[in-house]
Amino acid sequence: MRSKLHYFNPGHETAILQGSENYTPPTNVQRMIRELAYLPVWYADPEDFVFTEELISPRFFSLQPKELKPFATPISRKELEGKGNNLPQMEAAPWGVSPQSLHLFNKLKQNGNLDLAIPEWKDDYTRLTGRQTAAECLDKIRELMPEMAFPVAPKFCKKIREVEKYLILQRAPFVLKTPYSSSGRGLLWLPERKLTAKDRTWIEGALNKQGCVSIECALDKHLDFAMEFHSDGKGNVRYEGLSVFGAEKKGAYSGNVLGEQSHLESFFIEHFGDDTFQRLKESVREAVRQIYGSIYSGYLGVDMLVYRKASDNSFAIHPCIEVNMRYTMGMVALRISQKYLAPHARGDMHITYQSKPGEAYEHHCFMKKAYPLEMKDGKIREGYVPLCPVTKETKYRAYMLIF
């Protein structure tokens, strides 16, 4: 069994759209990659390695409570290139597969003389990553559960006048999305049935960059959730678990709920019934299997939501908002809950951004004091745990708070 060499590369959807091995992420994404580089340690196995350009804080994991160890080993470019011959056989495991991430692994393999298995890029991945495929998935779930009144798939428009026609025919508010985006990026909210000059500029820019935009009626959201899966690329898809997360009003990811699956599932079973929930789980798995299962090998998450129906204010489910063909924060939260939490412990995992220098570090110091860590039988019962090193220069912070 090969160890995995993990690499955190968020925003890989844009890298796929660009299609270049030499893609350079925007400055804020580069900062996130650098400051949250250690995040895969929390879902990796102890024999794995986590690649980071440079070791920000070599002692960070050695200072964690001994009960949580052993962890995967963070390893820098310099170390990989210096001791490649002494490392075990490894398998490349980027957060998201893209031409750029695979090119990085190929360079590391060559320069460090590593015994590293690297997945091949498939042209189908570009199609599978786009929102058009998520819409196909939604249609498939509707076919599999005809008794459920699921929302219709979004419309994909190549011209502004197609967007305007949709606005006239449907009920406001609306949400527009670029096909290659996720986690609340690449969205435009339209509260009215007419476009402002600013809206037109956004749509024109999106059409120039990505060729089309999707439009759909916005729903009265109550709860964001996702189902996490693993595909072996040979036609088998395994359900990994449920993820309940928070998103700000405009869709940006804000954090995940931590806890046992029975706790996370309780809302759905109470409001929709166990039979319906199990059928939904199986229908989504089957749709993913048919569309992704024989092509893509790796983790993926299907984002969904619970919303209130305009007709009677009752709860309903949208079973496929988007499909993230990569590791997800939901998968991180799932593994943390399974590996590190005491029975019945609950909490939240957050990714935050503070633009002011030193502000993230101040928050970190305050929370460390205010919420001391308490362990029970080798697991976390309550308290604050930073998931990545926090320095005075840090702006992105990942942490969990168990209560």
Side-chain angles (χ1 to χ4, degrees), residues 235-295:
N236 303 301
V237 169
R238 181 178 71 238
Y239 174 74
E240 291 285 342
L242 184 73
S243 145
V244 176
F245 63 97
E248 289 159 15
K249 202 160 189 186
K250 292 203 170 177
Y253 170 84
S254 62
N256 263 85
V257 178
L258 298 173
E260 291 162 324
Q261 284 290 293
S262 56
H263 165 60
L264 298 184
E265 288 183 352
S266 59
F267 171 87
F268 302 94
I269 290 166
E270 182 190 337
H271 291 279
F272 301 100
D274 189 41
D275 282 357
T276 299
F277 184 66
Q278 297 308 327
R279 284 205 57 227
L280 177 68
K281 200 187 281 186
E282 181 49 36
S283 298
V284 177
R285 189 196 68 79
E286 178 57 21
V288 168
R289 188 193 71 76
Q290 288 185 31
I291 294 167
Y292 295 84
S294 299
I295 304 168

Short mmCIF file of all heavy atoms in Angstrom, two decimals, residues 235-295:
data_model
loop_
_atom_site.label_atom_id
_atom_site.label_comp_id
_atom_site.label_asym_id
_atom_site.label_seq_id
_atom_site.Cartn_x
_atom_site.Cartn_y
_atom_site.Cartn_z
N GLY A 235 -16.44 2.36 -11.77
CA GLY A 235 -17.90 2.17 -11.72
C GLY A 235 -18.47 1.98 -10.35
O GLY A 235 -19.67 1.73 -10.20
N ASN A 236 -17.62 2.07 -9.30
CA ASN A 236 -18.11 1.91 -7.92
C ASN A 236 -18.01 3.23 -7.17
O ASN A 236 -16.95 3.86 -7.16
CB ASN A 236 -17.28 0.85 -7.18
CG ASN A 236 -17.30 -0.48 -7.91
OD1 ASN A 236 -18.36 -1.06 -8.12
ND2 ASN A 236 -16.13 -0.96 -8.31
N VAL A 237 -19.11 3.63 -6.54
CA VAL A 237 -19.12 4.86 -5.74
C VAL A 237 -19.61 4.52 -4.33
O VAL A 237 -20.66 3.88 -4.17
CB VAL A 237 -20.02 5.94 -6.39
CG1 VAL A 237 -20.26 7.11 -5.43
CG2 VAL A 237 -19.39 6.46 -7.68
N ARG A 238 -18.83 4.94 -3.35
CA ARG A 238 -19.13 4.65 -1.94
C ARG A 238 -19.60 5.92 -1.23
O ARG A 238 -18.98 6.97 -1.38
CB ARG A 238 -17.85 4.11 -1.28
CG ARG A 238 -17.99 3.75 0.19
CD ARG A 238 -16.68 3.19 0.73
NE ARG A 238 -15.64 4.22 0.86
CZ ARG A 238 -14.45 4.17 0.26
NH1 ARG A 238 -14.15 3.17 -0.56
NH2 ARG A 238 -13.56 5.12 0.45
N TYR A 239 -20.68 5.81 -0.49
CA TYR A 239 -21.16 6.94 0.31
C TYR A 239 -20.26 7.06 1.55
O TYR A 239 -20.05 6.07 2.26
CB TYR A 239 -22.61 6.70 0.74
CG TYR A 239 -23.17 7.73 1.70
CD1 TYR A 239 -23.50 9.02 1.26
CD2 TYR A 239 -23.37 7.42 3.05
CE1 TYR A 239 -24.02 9.96 2.14
CE2 TYR A 239 -23.89 8.37 3.92
CZ TYR A 239 -24.21 9.63 3.47
OH TYR A 239 -24.72 10.57 4.34
N GLU A 240 -19.71 8.24 1.80
CA GLU A 240 -18.80 8.44 2.94
C GLU A 240 -19.52 9.04 4.15
O GLU A 240 -19.20 8.71 5.28
CB GLU A 240 -17.65 9.37 2.54
CG GLU A 240 -16.68 8.76 1.55
CD GLU A 240 -15.75 7.74 2.18
OE1 GLU A 240 -15.60 7.74 3.42
OE2 GLU A 240 -15.18 6.95 1.42
N GLY A 241 -20.46 9.94 3.90
CA GLY A 241 -21.16 10.54 5.03
C GLY A 241 -21.83 11.85 4.69
O GLY A 241 -21.69 12.37 3.58
N LEU A 242 -22.54 12.37 5.68
CA LEU A 242 -23.28 13.63 5.54
C LEU A 242 -22.44 14.77 6.10
O LEU A 242 -21.72 14.60 7.08
CB LEU A 242 -24.58 13.52 6.33
CG LEU A 242 -25.55 14.69 6.23
CD1 LEU A 242 -26.22 14.71 4.86
CD2 LEU A 242 -26.62 14.60 7.32
N SER A 243 -22.56 15.92 5.46
CA SER A 243 -21.85 17.12 5.91
C SER A 243 -22.87 18.25 6.00
O SER A 243 -23.64 18.46 5.06
CB SER A 243 -20.76 17.41 4.88
OG SER A 243 -20.56 18.79 4.71
N VAL A 244 -22.92 18.93 7.15
CA VAL A 244 -23.80 20.08 7.31
C VAL A 244 -22.91 21.30 7.46
O VAL A 244 -21.99 21.31 8.30
CB VAL A 244 -24.72 19.92 8.54
CG1 VAL A 244 -25.58 21.17 8.76
CG2 VAL A 244 -25.63 18.69 8.38
N PHE A 245 -23.12 22.30 6.62
CA PHE A 245 -22.20 23.44 6.63
C PHE A 245 -22.94 24.77 6.62
O PHE A 245 -24.15 24.83 6.40
CB PHE A 245 -21.20 23.35 5.47
CG PHE A 245 -21.80 23.42 4.10
CD1 PHE A 245 -21.84 24.61 3.40
CD2 PHE A 245 -22.31 22.28 3.48
CE1 PHE A 245 -22.37 24.68 2.11
CE2 PHE A 245 -22.84 22.33 2.19
CZ PHE A 245 -22.87 23.54 1.51
N GLY A 246 -22.19 25.82 6.86
CA GLY A 246 -22.74 27.17 6.85
C GLY A 246 -22.23 27.91 5.64
O GLY A 246 -21.09 27.74 5.21
N ALA A 247 -23.10 28.73 5.07
CA ALA A 247 -22.70 29.61 3.97
C ALA A 247 -23.32 30.97 4.23
O ALA A 247 -24.46 31.06 4.68
CB ALA A 247 -23.16 29.05 2.63
N GLU A 248 -22.54 32.01 3.97
CA GLU A 248 -23.07 33.36 4.18
C GLU A 248 -24.18 33.64 3.17
O GLU A 248 -24.39 32.88 2.24
CB GLU A 248 -21.93 34.38 4.06
CG GLU A 248 -20.98 34.30 5.24
CD GLU A 248 -19.61 34.89 4.96
OE1 GLU A 248 -19.48 35.62 3.96
OE2 GLU A 248 -18.69 34.62 5.74
N LYS A 249 -24.87 34.77 3.38
CA LYS A 249 -26.06 35.06 2.56
C LYS A 249 -25.76 34.98 1.06
O LYS A 249 -26.55 34.49 0.27
CB LYS A 249 -26.59 36.44 2.92
CG LYS A 249 -28.05 36.60 2.55
CD LYS A 249 -28.72 37.72 3.31
CE LYS A 249 -30.22 37.66 3.04
NZ LYS A 249 -30.92 38.79 3.62
N LYS A 250 -24.56 35.42 0.66
CA LYS A 250 -24.24 35.42 -0.77
C LYS A 250 -23.57 34.13 -1.23
O LYS A 250 -23.09 34.01 -2.33
CB LYS A 250 -23.37 36.63 -1.11
CG LYS A 250 -24.14 37.94 -0.96
CD LYS A 250 -23.56 39.05 -1.78
CE LYS A 250 -24.48 40.24 -1.81
NZ LYS A 250 -23.92 41.37 -2.54
N GLY A 251 -23.52 33.13 -0.33
CA GLY A 251 -23.07 31.80 -0.76
C GLY A 251 -21.67 31.39 -0.34
O GLY A 251 -21.30 30.24 -0.51
N ALA A 252 -20.85 32.31 0.22
CA ALA A 252 -19.47 31.97 0.58
C ALA A 252 -19.45 31.00 1.77
O ALA A 252 -20.17 31.20 2.74
CB ALA A 252 -18.69 33.23 0.91
N TYR A 253 -18.60 29.98 1.69
CA TYR A 253 -18.48 28.97 2.75
C TYR A 253 -18.02 29.62 4.06
O TYR A 253 -17.13 30.46 4.06
CB TYR A 253 -17.45 27.92 2.31
CG TYR A 253 -17.06 26.96 3.40
CD1 TYR A 253 -17.84 25.84 3.68
CD2 TYR A 253 -15.91 27.16 4.16
CE1 TYR A 253 -17.49 24.96 4.69
CE2 TYR A 253 -15.54 26.28 5.16
CZ TYR A 253 -16.34 25.18 5.43
OH TYR A 253 -15.98 24.32 6.43
N SER A 254 -18.65 29.22 5.19
CA SER A 254 -18.23 29.80 6.48
C SER A 254 -17.82 28.76 7.51
O SER A 254 -17.11 29.07 8.46
CB SER A 254 -19.33 30.70 7.06
OG SER A 254 -20.50 29.93 7.30
N GLY A 255 -18.26 27.51 7.37
CA GLY A 255 -17.83 26.50 8.34
C GLY A 255 -18.70 25.26 8.30
O GLY A 255 -19.75 25.23 7.66
N ASN A 256 -18.23 24.20 8.97
CA ASN A 256 -18.93 22.91 9.02
C ASN A 256 -19.30 22.53 10.45
O ASN A 256 -18.57 22.84 11.39
CB ASN A 256 -18.04 21.80 8.47
CG ASN A 256 -18.33 21.49 7.02
OD1 ASN A 256 -17.79 22.15 6.14
ND2 ASN A 256 -19.19 20.53 6.77
N VAL A 257 -20.40 21.82 10.58
CA VAL A 257 -20.79 21.27 11.88
C VAL A 257 -19.97 20.00 12.11
O VAL A 257 -19.82 19.17 11.20
CB VAL A 257 -22.30 20.95 11.92
CG1 VAL A 257 -22.70 20.33 13.26
CG2 VAL A 257 -23.12 22.21 11.65
N LEU A 258 -19.47 19.83 13.33
CA LEU A 258 -18.73 18.62 13.71
C LEU A 258 -19.60 17.79 14.66
O LEU A 258 -20.28 18.35 15.52
CB LEU A 258 -17.41 18.98 14.41
CG LEU A 258 -16.39 19.78 13.60
CD1 LEU A 258 -15.22 20.19 14.49
CD2 LEU A 258 -15.89 18.99 12.40
N GLY A 259 -19.57 16.50 14.50
CA GLY A 259 -20.36 15.63 15.39
C GLY A 259 -20.63 14.30 14.72
O GLY A 259 -20.27 14.07 13.56
N GLU A 260 -21.28 13.42 15.47
CA GLU A 260 -21.59 12.09 14.95
C GLU A 260 -22.62 12.18 13.83
O GLU A 260 -23.45 13.09 13.79
CB GLU A 260 -22.14 11.21 16.09
CG GLU A 260 -21.05 10.88 17.11
CD GLU A 260 -21.62 10.40 18.44
OE1 GLU A 260 -22.67 10.90 18.87
OE2 GLU A 260 -20.97 9.54 19.06
N GLN A 261 -22.59 11.20 12.93
CA GLN A 261 -23.53 11.18 11.80
C GLN A 261 -24.98 11.16 12.27
O GLN A 261 -25.85 11.79 11.67
CB GLN A 261 -23.24 9.97 10.92
CG GLN A 261 -22.01 10.13 10.04
CD GLN A 261 -22.21 11.15 8.92
OE1 GLN A 261 -22.99 10.93 8.01
NE2 GLN A 261 -21.51 12.27 8.99
N SER A 262 -25.27 10.42 13.35
CA SER A 262 -26.65 10.35 13.86
C SER A 262 -27.17 11.74 14.25
O SER A 262 -28.33 12.06 14.04
CB SER A 262 -26.74 9.39 15.05
OG SER A 262 -25.82 9.79 16.06
N HIS A 263 -26.27 12.57 14.80
CA HIS A 263 -26.64 13.94 15.17
C HIS A 263 -26.91 14.78 13.90
O HIS A 263 -27.91 15.50 13.83
CB HIS A 263 -25.51 14.56 16.01
CG HIS A 263 -25.60 16.05 16.15
ND1 HIS A 263 -26.69 16.67 16.72
CD2 HIS A 263 -24.75 17.05 15.79
CE1 HIS A 263 -26.50 17.99 16.71
NE2 HIS A 263 -25.34 18.24 16.14
N LEU A 264 -26.03 14.66 12.90
CA LEU A 264 -26.19 15.44 11.67
C LEU A 264 -27.43 15.02 10.89
O LEU A 264 -28.09 15.83 10.26
CB LEU A 264 -24.94 15.30 10.78
CG LEU A 264 -23.61 15.79 11.34
CD1 LEU A 264 -22.52 15.67 10.30
CD2 LEU A 264 -23.69 17.23 11.82
N GLU A 265 -27.76 13.72 10.94
CA GLU A 265 -28.90 13.21 10.18
C GLU A 265 -30.24 13.48 10.84
O GLU A 265 -31.28 13.41 10.20
CB GLU A 265 -28.75 11.69 9.98
CG GLU A 265 -27.67 11.30 8.99
CD GLU A 265 -27.60 9.80 8.77
OE1 GLU A 265 -28.29 9.04 9.51
OE2 GLU A 265 -26.86 9.37 7.87
N SER A 266 -30.23 13.80 12.14
CA SER A 266 -31.48 13.89 12.91
C SER A 266 -32.49 14.87 12.31
O SER A 266 -33.68 14.60 12.25
CB SER A 266 -31.20 14.21 14.38
OG SER A 266 -30.51 15.45 14.48
N PHE A 267 -32.02 16.04 11.84
CA PHE A 267 -32.93 17.04 11.26
C PHE A 267 -33.66 16.46 10.06
O PHE A 267 -34.87 16.64 9.89
CB PHE A 267 -32.14 18.29 10.85
CG PHE A 267 -32.96 19.28 10.05
CD1 PHE A 267 -33.72 20.25 10.69
CD2 PHE A 267 -32.99 19.23 8.65
CE1 PHE A 267 -34.50 21.13 9.96
CE2 PHE A 267 -33.75 20.11 7.92
CZ PHE A 267 -34.52 21.07 8.57
N PHE A 268 -32.93 15.77 9.19
CA PHE A 268 -33.49 15.26 7.94
C PHE A 268 -34.49 14.14 8.21
O PHE A 268 -35.55 14.06 7.57
CB PHE A 268 -32.37 14.78 7.01
CG PHE A 268 -31.39 15.87 6.72
CD1 PHE A 268 -30.23 16.04 7.48
CD2 PHE A 268 -31.65 16.79 5.70
CE1 PHE A 268 -29.35 17.07 7.23
CE2 PHE A 268 -30.77 17.83 5.45
CZ PHE A 268 -29.62 17.97 6.22
N ILE A 269 -34.15 13.28 9.17
CA ILE A 269 -35.04 12.16 9.50
C ILE A 269 -36.31 12.69 10.15
O ILE A 269 -37.43 12.25 9.84
CB ILE A 269 -34.30 11.13 10.38
CG1 ILE A 269 -33.23 10.43 9.52
CG2 ILE A 269 -35.26 10.12 10.98
CD1 ILE A 269 -32.20 9.64 10.26
N GLU A 270 -36.17 13.71 11.00
CA GLU A 270 -37.34 14.31 11.67
C GLU A 270 -38.29 14.98 10.67
O GLU A 270 -39.50 14.84 10.76
CB GLU A 270 -36.85 15.34 12.70
CG GLU A 270 -37.98 16.00 13.49
CD GLU A 270 -37.49 17.17 14.33
OE1 GLU A 270 -36.27 17.24 14.67
OE2 GLU A 270 -38.33 18.04 14.64
N HIS A 271 -37.74 15.70 9.70
CA HIS A 271 -38.58 16.48 8.79
C HIS A 271 -38.99 15.76 7.51
O HIS A 271 -40.01 16.11 6.91
CB HIS A 271 -37.89 17.80 8.44
CG HIS A 271 -37.82 18.74 9.61
ND1 HIS A 271 -38.88 19.52 10.00
CD2 HIS A 271 -36.83 18.99 10.49
CE1 HIS A 271 -38.54 20.24 11.07
NE2 HIS A 271 -37.29 19.92 11.38
N PHE A 272 -38.20 14.77 7.08
CA PHE A 272 -38.51 14.10 5.81
C PHE A 272 -38.76 12.60 5.97
O PHE A 272 -39.21 11.96 5.03
CB PHE A 272 -37.38 14.33 4.80
CG PHE A 272 -37.14 15.79 4.50
CD1 PHE A 272 -36.09 16.48 5.11
CD2 PHE A 272 -37.99 16.50 3.66
CE1 PHE A 272 -35.87 17.83 4.86
CE2 PHE A 272 -37.78 17.85 3.40
CZ PHE A 272 -36.73 18.52 4.01
N GLY A 273 -38.42 12.06 7.13
CA GLY A 273 -38.59 10.62 7.37
C GLY A 273 -37.36 9.84 6.97
O GLY A 273 -36.68 10.19 6.00
N ASP A 274 -37.10 8.75 7.69
CA ASP A 274 -35.89 7.95 7.45
C ASP A 274 -35.92 7.31 6.06
O ASP A 274 -34.91 7.29 5.36
CB ASP A 274 -35.76 6.87 8.53
CG ASP A 274 -34.42 6.16 8.46
OD1 ASP A 274 -33.41 6.85 8.24
OD2 ASP A 274 -34.37 4.93 8.58
N ASP A 275 -37.07 6.81 5.63
CA ASP A 275 -37.17 6.15 4.32
C ASP A 275 -36.80 7.09 3.18
O ASP A 275 -36.02 6.75 2.30
CB ASP A 275 -38.61 5.63 4.08
CG ASP A 275 -38.87 4.34 4.85
OD1 ASP A 275 -37.93 3.85 5.50
OD2 ASP A 275 -40.00 3.84 4.82
N THR A 276 -37.38 8.31 3.22
CA THR A 276 -37.10 9.30 2.17
C THR A 276 -35.63 9.68 2.18
O THR A 276 -35.00 9.79 1.12
CB THR A 276 -37.97 10.56 2.37
OG1 THR A 276 -39.34 10.16 2.28
CG2 THR A 276 -37.70 11.62 1.32
N PHE A 277 -35.06 9.85 3.39
CA PHE A 277 -33.66 10.25 3.49
C PHE A 277 -32.74 9.16 2.94
O PHE A 277 -31.78 9.45 2.20
CB PHE A 277 -33.30 10.58 4.94
CG PHE A 277 -31.90 11.09 5.11
CD1 PHE A 277 -31.52 12.32 4.56
CD2 PHE A 277 -30.94 10.35 5.79
CE1 PHE A 277 -30.22 12.78 4.69
CE2 PHE A 277 -29.65 10.82 5.92
CZ PHE A 277 -29.29 12.03 5.37
N GLN A 278 -33.03 7.89 3.26
CA GLN A 278 -32.21 6.78 2.76
C GLN A 278 -32.33 6.66 1.23
O GLN A 278 -31.37 6.39 0.54
CB GLN A 278 -32.61 5.45 3.43
CG GLN A 278 -32.39 5.40 4.94
CD GLN A 278 -31.00 5.79 5.39
OE1 GLN A 278 -30.00 5.54 4.71
NE2 GLN A 278 -30.89 6.43 6.55
N ARG A 279 -33.53 6.88 0.70
CA ARG A 279 -33.75 6.83 -0.75
C ARG A 279 -33.01 7.96 -1.45
O ARG A 279 -32.44 7.79 -2.53
CB ARG A 279 -35.24 6.90 -1.07
CG ARG A 279 -35.96 5.59 -0.80
CD ARG A 279 -37.21 5.43 -1.63
NE ARG A 279 -36.94 5.52 -3.05
CZ ARG A 279 -37.66 6.26 -3.89
NH1 ARG A 279 -38.66 6.98 -3.47
NH2 ARG A 279 -37.35 6.30 -5.18
N LEU A 280 -33.01 9.14 -0.81
CA LEU A 280 -32.28 10.28 -1.37
C LEU A 280 -30.78 9.96 -1.45
O LEU A 280 -30.14 10.16 -2.48
CB LEU A 280 -32.52 11.53 -0.52
CG LEU A 280 -31.75 12.79 -0.94
CD1 LEU A 280 -32.25 13.32 -2.28
CD2 LEU A 280 -31.86 13.88 0.13
N LYS A 281 -30.27 9.43 -0.34
CA LYS A 281 -28.85 9.05 -0.26
C LYS A 281 -28.48 8.09 -1.39
O LYS A 281 -27.50 8.27 -2.10
CB LYS A 281 -28.63 8.38 1.10
CG LYS A 281 -27.23 8.32 1.61
CD LYS A 281 -27.16 7.47 2.87
CE LYS A 281 -27.60 8.20 4.11
NZ LYS A 281 -27.38 7.40 5.35
N GLU A 282 -29.33 7.07 -1.58
CA GLU A 282 -29.06 6.05 -2.60
C GLU A 282 -29.23 6.61 -4.02
O GLU A 282 -28.46 6.30 -4.92
CB GLU A 282 -29.99 4.85 -2.37
CG GLU A 282 -29.81 3.70 -3.35
CD GLU A 282 -28.35 3.26 -3.54
OE1 GLU A 282 -27.55 3.28 -2.57
OE2 GLU A 282 -27.99 2.92 -4.69
N SER A 283 -30.23 7.50 -4.22
CA SER A 283 -30.46 8.08 -5.55
C SER A 283 -29.31 9.00 -5.96
O SER A 283 -28.88 8.99 -7.11
CB SER A 283 -31.78 8.87 -5.56
OG SER A 283 -32.86 8.02 -5.29
N VAL A 284 -28.80 9.78 -5.01
CA VAL A 284 -27.68 10.69 -5.30
C VAL A 284 -26.43 9.84 -5.60
O VAL A 284 -25.70 10.11 -6.56
CB VAL A 284 -27.42 11.68 -4.15
CG1 VAL A 284 -26.21 12.56 -4.44
CG2 VAL A 284 -28.66 12.56 -3.92
N ARG A 285 -26.21 8.79 -4.79
CA ARG A 285 -25.05 7.91 -5.03
C ARG A 285 -25.14 7.28 -6.43
O ARG A 285 -24.16 7.23 -7.16
CB ARG A 285 -25.01 6.80 -3.97
CG ARG A 285 -23.71 5.97 -4.01
CD ARG A 285 -23.83 4.67 -3.24
NE ARG A 285 -24.75 3.76 -3.89
CZ ARG A 285 -24.44 3.01 -4.96
NH1 ARG A 285 -23.24 3.06 -5.49
NH2 ARG A 285 -25.35 2.22 -5.50
N GLU A 286 -26.34 6.85 -6.82
CA GLU A 286 -26.53 6.21 -8.12
C GLU A 286 -26.32 7.21 -9.27
O GLU A 286 -25.70 6.88 -10.29
CB GLU A 286 -27.93 5.58 -8.20
CG GLU A 286 -28.28 4.92 -9.52
CD GLU A 286 -27.31 3.83 -9.97
OE1 GLU A 286 -26.57 3.25 -9.13
OE2 GLU A 286 -27.29 3.54 -11.19
N ALA A 287 -26.81 8.44 -9.10
CA ALA A 287 -26.61 9.47 -10.13
C ALA A 287 -25.12 9.77 -10.30
O ALA A 287 -24.61 9.86 -11.42
CB ALA A 287 -27.37 10.75 -9.75
N VAL A 288 -24.41 9.90 -9.18
CA VAL A 288 -22.96 10.15 -9.21
C VAL A 288 -22.24 8.96 -9.85
O VAL A 288 -21.32 9.13 -10.66
CB VAL A 288 -22.44 10.42 -7.77
CG1 VAL A 288 -20.93 10.38 -7.72
CG2 VAL A 288 -22.94 11.77 -7.26
N ARG A 289 -22.68 7.75 -9.51
CA ARG A 289 -22.05 6.54 -10.07
C ARG A 289 -22.20 6.52 -11.60
O ARG A 289 -21.24 6.25 -12.31
CB ARG A 289 -22.71 5.29 -9.46
CG ARG A 289 -21.99 3.99 -9.83
CD ARG A 289 -22.81 2.77 -9.48
NE ARG A 289 -23.98 2.62 -10.34
CZ ARG A 289 -23.94 2.19 -11.61
NH1 ARG A 289 -22.79 1.85 -12.17
NH2 ARG A 289 -25.05 2.09 -12.32
N GLN A 290 -23.40 6.83 -12.08
CA GLN A 290 -23.63 6.79 -13.53
C GLN A 290 -22.83 7.85 -14.28
O GLN A 290 -22.36 7.61 -15.39
CB GLN A 290 -25.13 6.97 -13.81
CG GLN A 290 -25.96 5.76 -13.45
CD GLN A 290 -27.43 5.92 -13.86
OE1 GLN A 290 -27.75 6.57 -14.84
NE2 GLN A 290 -28.32 5.29 -13.10
N ILE A 291 -22.68 9.02 -13.68
CA ILE A 291 -22.04 10.14 -14.40
C ILE A 291 -20.53 10.22 -14.17
O ILE A 291 -19.76 10.52 -15.08
CB ILE A 291 -22.75 11.47 -14.03
CG1 ILE A 291 -24.20 11.43 -14.57
CG2 ILE A 291 -22.02 12.68 -14.59
CD1 ILE A 291 -25.12 12.50 -14.05
N TYR A 292 -20.08 9.94 -12.93
CA TYR A 292 -18.65 10.09 -12.59
C TYR A 292 -17.93 8.75 -12.37
O TYR A 292 -16.71 8.68 -12.52
CB TYR A 292 -18.49 10.89 -11.29
CG TYR A 292 -18.96 12.32 -11.36
CD1 TYR A 292 -20.30 12.65 -11.18
CD2 TYR A 292 -18.06 13.37 -11.60
CE1 TYR A 292 -20.74 13.96 -11.25
CE2 TYR A 292 -18.49 14.68 -11.67
CZ TYR A 292 -19.84 14.98 -11.49
OH TYR A 292 -20.27 16.27 -11.57
N GLY A 293 -18.70 7.73 -11.98
CA GLY A 293 -18.11 6.50 -11.42
C GLY A 293 -17.11 5.75 -12.28
O GLY A 293 -16.18 5.15 -11.76
N SER A 294 -17.28 5.79 -13.60
CA SER A 294 -16.37 5.02 -14.47
C SER A 294 -15.23 5.87 -15.03
O SER A 294 -14.40 5.38 -15.79
CB SER A 294 -17.16 4.41 -15.64
OG SER A 294 -18.13 3.53 -15.13
N ILE A 295 -15.21 7.15 -14.66
CA ILE A 295 -14.19 8.05 -15.22
C ILE A 295 -13.25 8.60 -14.14
O ILE A 295 -12.03 8.56 -14.27
CB ILE A 295 -14.87 9.25 -15.95
CG1 ILE A 295 -15.84 8.75 -17.02
CG2 ILE A 295 -13.82 10.17 -16.58
CD1 ILE A 295 -16.76 9.83 -17.58
#
